[in-house]
Amino acid sequence: MPELPEVETVRRSLVPVVLNKRIEAVEILYPRILQGVDEEDVRDVLVGSEFTALSRRGKYLIFELLEEWELIAHLRMTGRLIFYSNGEIPLAKHTSALFDFGDDGQLRFEDVRKFATLNLVKKGNYEQIRGLFTLGIEPLSADFTVEAFSQMLEGRQATIKGLLLDQTKVAGLGNIYVDESLFAAQIHPERAAGSLTDVEKERLHQAITAVLEDAIANQGTTISDYRTGYGQEGTFQNKLLIYGKKGELCPRCQAPIEHTKVAGRTSHYCPRCQVTKV
Ligand SMILES: [Zn+2]
């Protein structure tokens, strides 16, 4: 599933090619992609309008439109937003929606598993999009300080893995980057969040930021479906140290890597250098 670095990579790749172009036509090929709005309303607002900005919150992409509207996309499991410079290129089999810029190409929303979503709202009116409305701190923003992170963990009985996956706490993290961050900080995924020492909190805070930045610099992680806005694979899968590495040797201490279920998710860790102390 695309996480913050993948969604941010899609955003950065689309900004130069989809903004300030007149939307000539909209086609919704899989109507259930639309949440709380019908095809006709989407067409009424979008056709003749332009995307004026593209921002990201957590794993949501926010396409700002003229006249105070916003189109909000979530890729979920297998969604891809890909720009095609030529609208004559045949549609991929699982194309759910497309936005046609005439001679200036097409933005296509492709999705094999069909969990991806599109919402249309008045600017900033996110109450109806629960996941967006309740998002926690953006981990690459100035708000994500060691102090704010420490407070978030204070007294929490939940596992640190579960807490980091909770989008209402830190926005945009998923299974891959939580495992990589915990490995970098040498913290076991099953530790109670509130049990981390000040040093560990600082180390984890630093690890989260560094892992996300490195993943964005590498255009995200392609394990199966994820592609950039140009249809290319990311390269961070080549830099993963712990995620998906069960049975391989820990790059830090050479102990065999293990996995276990934490917060309902398969979690990879090194049993020697991510020791449970509490
Ligand atoms: Zn190790």
Side-chain angles (χ1 to χ4, degrees), residues 183 250 252-253 270 272-273:
F183 175 74
C250 169
R252 189 161 44 216
C253 77
C270 171
R272 189 185 290 162
C273 61

Side-chain angles (χ1 to χ4, degrees), residues 70-86:
E70 290 177 344
L71 183 74
I72 296 168
H74 198 301
L75 305 174
R76 301 289 170 196
M77 304 283 289
T78 58
R80 298 172 175 177
L81 274 164
I82 298 181
F83 178 76
Y84 291 85
S85 56
N86 181 350

